[in-house]
Amino acid sequence: MGHSRTSVRTAAAGAVSAALVAGTVVGLAPAAQAGSVRFVDISGDGGTVLKANVVMPAGADGSRRYPLIVLPTSWGLPQVEYLTQAQKLADTGYVVLTYNVRGFWQSGGQIEVAGPPDTADASKVIDWALAHTPADPAHVGMAGVSYGAGISLLAAAHDKRIKAVAALSGWADLIDSIYSGRTQHVQAAAVLDGAATLTGRESPELREIFDNLYSSNLSKEQQMIDWGRKRSPATYVDQLNKNGAAVMLASAWGDTVFPANQNADFYEKLTVPKRLELRPGDHATAELTGLFGLPNDVWTDTERWLDHYLKGVDNGIDREQPVQLQSRSAGGYEGYPDWKSIAATRRKIALAGSTTIHANVDSGADGGIVFLSSILDQVGRLPPVASIPLLPRRWAAVWQSERYGSTQHVRGTVKLHTTLTPTKESGTLVAYLYDVGPLGLGKLVSNAPYTWHGRTPGTPFGVDLELFSTAYDVPAGHRLALVVDTVDPLYIEHNPSGAQLTFSSPANDPSYVSIPLREQ
């Protein structure tokens, strides 16, 4: 892992961030002129000025009160982000207040990454709305995309006035998002870093976190984990449950910034009225068209959720199956009573024998490119591919199932268990699950990285790794293949030069990959 390589990735991701931000701003700018919008300054925590806008219901004259919806902006996006949706919500009888979070664009302060000042800002914004608009203090909701989603959940854990939340493409565990398996998700982190550099003002603390992440500074690892825990809704799940706000979570299977696993785990711990929706796509792509006013399932369900829990509208959303999934392979939605019910059975693929691979070379099995690959999968069902027979076995370990006689509906979280013997004390592996057709071409089903430090060279140890959750249909006549290698552009790897990894399957602890399957 060289500094120059990280710098190149950061620069490239920064360019991608610029294109995304510019495209969104240009596309949304006309909405600022489309309806009755009042731009205001709000004094946030510590007096920090937050740039905001208010959209009122037609005919609001102060004679009655309306439910309030507060929308914090996404990471790197300006306050015009939600104006189209804000106008739609206002037209149905809401006071809507959207604000630019601190540290970005014209708002004051520095980027705190959903730290305590951001949570306090959300409450200050609610205070302002209740004092300056005909908003009803008994019917307050929050919603947002990405950064706005996380801040909304954190605010609901700290402010009892919030009765409903719709968190779209948000996170539950911040460190698990960009450091799962003790592995830096370098492309995702660089996109966030690049967008912050272009559109905001990073705090010294955030700059230090990014620098320590890129440099793999293990002496600061616990500090980073503690920093992330303070900013993770999962840390405050008991407070969320106590406060009682109804919570809707919507995410994408291919989210390369906030993987779906964590939202599913978080959802299971919630005891409030709740809903979990998972669709094909990458970070914030499933709800993107709704920001332009186009028909969009995520925003339709968001409005239904808020209507029911803020207005009391009997629209049936509370009677639907609370877990709604859309397969990456087929249209339509599948409803389940809870997360654990999506996989009726598990089928194991044995990882027999002993296999040794050499590190430091990309075998050709990759998780793709941040945003681009999952968008291609979302739009054209074109996930990253690899020719499984041609993968060089010197750098890739490969195991395959038998050919399936019927369609296999993979639903949930694939789990890998194996025994690993490394030749060095540190290292990284990346596991991939592929759908392999008759000609040997593999389509990526899921992947995940795993890093270790401080192991005794030559001494075996057990590895348990959860791949990123997914919903994918493997056609009849195809196989599943597990591939393990040591290099992937999505992640920073920690394999010293010349390292080798040996995978074995002891008789008393056989290795396997466990596949979750929907009822056939």
Side-chain angles (χ1 to χ4, degrees):
M1 182 192 67
H3 175 73
S4 60
R5 185 172 69 183
T6 300
S7 298
V8 169
R9 288 175 180 164
T10 303
V16 172
S17 302
L20 288 170
V21 171
T24 304
V25 173
V26 170
L28 290 176
Q33 303 171 6
S36 176
V37 180
R38 181 160 58 104
F39 291 89
V40 300
D41 289 352
I42 297 176
S43 180
D45 185 53
T48 297
V49 175
L50 305 174
K51 296 294 183 177
N53 56 67
V54 181
V55 187
M56 303 283 284
D61 56 9
S63 62
R64 57 165 290 194
R65 291 195 173 272
Y66 301 87
L68 168 67
I69 297 176
V70 174
L71 301 166
T73 52
S74 301
W75 185 274
L77 295 186
Q79 68 198 72
V80 298
E81 175 186 5
Y82 300 116
L83 281 185
T84 298
Q85 285 298 326
Q87 187 66 64
K88 290 179 65 177
L89 289 165
D91 288 345
T92 63
Y94 290 97
V95 171
V96 186
L97 194 154
T98 81
Y99 72 98
N100 223 101
V101 293
R102 66 169 54 222
F104 285 104
W105 294 88
Q106 290 84 16
S107 284
Q110 297 177 321
I111 301 169
E112 299 288 345
V113 196
D118 290 300
T119 304
D121 283 347
S123 292
K124 291 284 190 179
V125 169
I126 293 172
D127 292 342
W128 187 95
L130 296 178
H132 295 87
T133 75
D136 186 345
H139 299 89
V140 177
M142 288 190 68
V145 177
S146 184
Y147 197 38
I151 290 175
S152 295
L153 286 170
L154 290 163
H158 291 86
D159 193 326
K160 295 180 180 180
R161 295 174 296 180
I162 300 169
K163 304 303 182 185
V165 172
L168 316 181
S169 290
W171 72 93
D173 185 328
L174 189 58
I175 292 302
D176 192 53
S177 301
I178 58 174
Y179 194 59
S180 71
R182 295 186 78 183
T183 309
Q184 299 95 323
H185 297 209
V186 67
Q187 286 190 12
V191 165
L192 296 174
D193 191 3
T197 301
L198 287 165
T199 64
R201 299 167 299 283
E202 294 179 345
S203 67
E205 183 181 33
L206 175 57
R207 186 66 261 154
E208 181 182 2
I209 290 292
F210 274 131
D211 291 344
N212 289 334
L213 184 78
Y214 295 141
S215 65
S216 307
N217 188 345
L218 292 179
S219 69
K220 300 292 186 178
E221 183 181 40
Q222 189 58 50
Q223 175 184 326
M224 180 180 69
I225 291 171
D226 292 341
W227 174 88
R229 185 175 291 122
K230 185 186 298 184
R231 291 159 168 81
S232 297
T235 301
Y236 308 99
V237 67
D238 290 341
Q239 290 174 230
L240 270 166
N241 289 332
K242 181 180 179 180
N243 287 351
V247 175
M248 172 180 154
L249 306 171
S251 189
W253 293 118
D255 195 319
T256 45
V257 180
F258 304 134
N261 304 49
Q262 56 179 285
N263 277 330
D265 293 340
F266 178 60
Y267 172 85
E268 287 292 272
K269 295 174 183 175
L270 290 170
T271 58
V272 296
K274 58 184 180 178
R275 182 179 177 92
L276 175 66
E277 299 185 354
L278 289 160
R279 299 172 174 83
D282 205 311
H283 183 64
T285 63
E287 53 269 42
L288 180 62
T289 57
L291 295 177
F292 294 89
L294 300 175
N296 183 278
D297 289 352
V298 185
W299 283 103
T300 296
D301 286 347
T302 294
E303 291 161 16
R304 294 174 64 222
W305 186 256
L306 297 172
D307 282 350
H308 180 74
Y309 287 101
L310 295 182
K311 290 182 177 178
V313 176
D314 185 13
N315 54 22
I317 197 166
D318 58 318
R319 296 188 294 275
E320 296 172 0
Q321 295 279 37
V323 176
Q324 294 285 324
L325 311 181
Q326 187 177 23
S327 169
R328 292 164 49 202
S329 310
Y333 289 90
E334 304 166 2
Y336 299 88
D338 50 40
W339 174 253
K340 62 179 177 291
S341 298
I342 70 171
T345 60
R346 281 190 170 268
R347 176 174 294 178
K348 289 184 178 180
I349 301 172
L351 311 181
S354 179
T355 301
T356 298
I357 62 173
H358 295 251
N360 311 118
V361 174
D362 190 337
S363 71
D366 284 326
I369 300 171
V370 66
F371 287 120
L372 177 61
S373 296
S374 292
I375 291 173
L376 288 174
D377 186 36
Q378 174 186 359
V379 176
R381 296 178 185 169
L382 297 171
V385 298
S387 175
I388 304 305
L390 297 181
L391 289 176
R393 278 12 182 208
R394 178 180 177 84
W395 296 297
V398 180
W399 298 267
Q400 296 192 73
S401 72
E402 76 283 1
R403 294 189 188 277
Y404 295 115
S406 60
T407 301
Q408 303 295 297
H409 303 282
V410 180
R411 297 290 185 274
T413 307
V414 175
K415 299 180 180 180
L416 166 65
H417 174 74
T418 190
T419 296
L420 171 63
T421 305
T423 59
K424 306 290 184 178
E425 67 173 16
S426 296
T428 298
L429 63 84
V430 185
Y432 310 87
L433 188 71
Y434 284 98
D435 160 24
V436 185
L439 300 179
L441 187 66
K443 296 182 177 180
L444 187 66
V445 177
S446 185
N447 78 99
Y450 180 89
T451 293
W452 63 93
H453 298 286
R455 292 289 180 175
T456 302
T459 301
F461 62 93
V463 171
D464 288 286
L465 176 62
E466 291 189 348
L467 277 62
F468 301 133
S469 301
T470 195
Y472 184 96
D473 301 330
V474 181
H478 286 212
R479 307 173 186 266
L480 281 172
L482 181 77
V483 176
V484 180
D485 72 2
T486 62
V487 176
D488 189 308
L490 285 174
Y491 313 112
I492 290 179
E493 50 92 3
H494 299 265
N495 298 292
S497 180
Q500 298 180 35
L501 311 181
T502 297
F503 302 93
S504 58
S505 184
N508 62 344
D509 186 21
S511 296
Y512 60 86
V513 59
S514 176
I515 311 297
L517 298 174
R518 193 190 76 188
E519 186 175 359
Q520 301 297 315

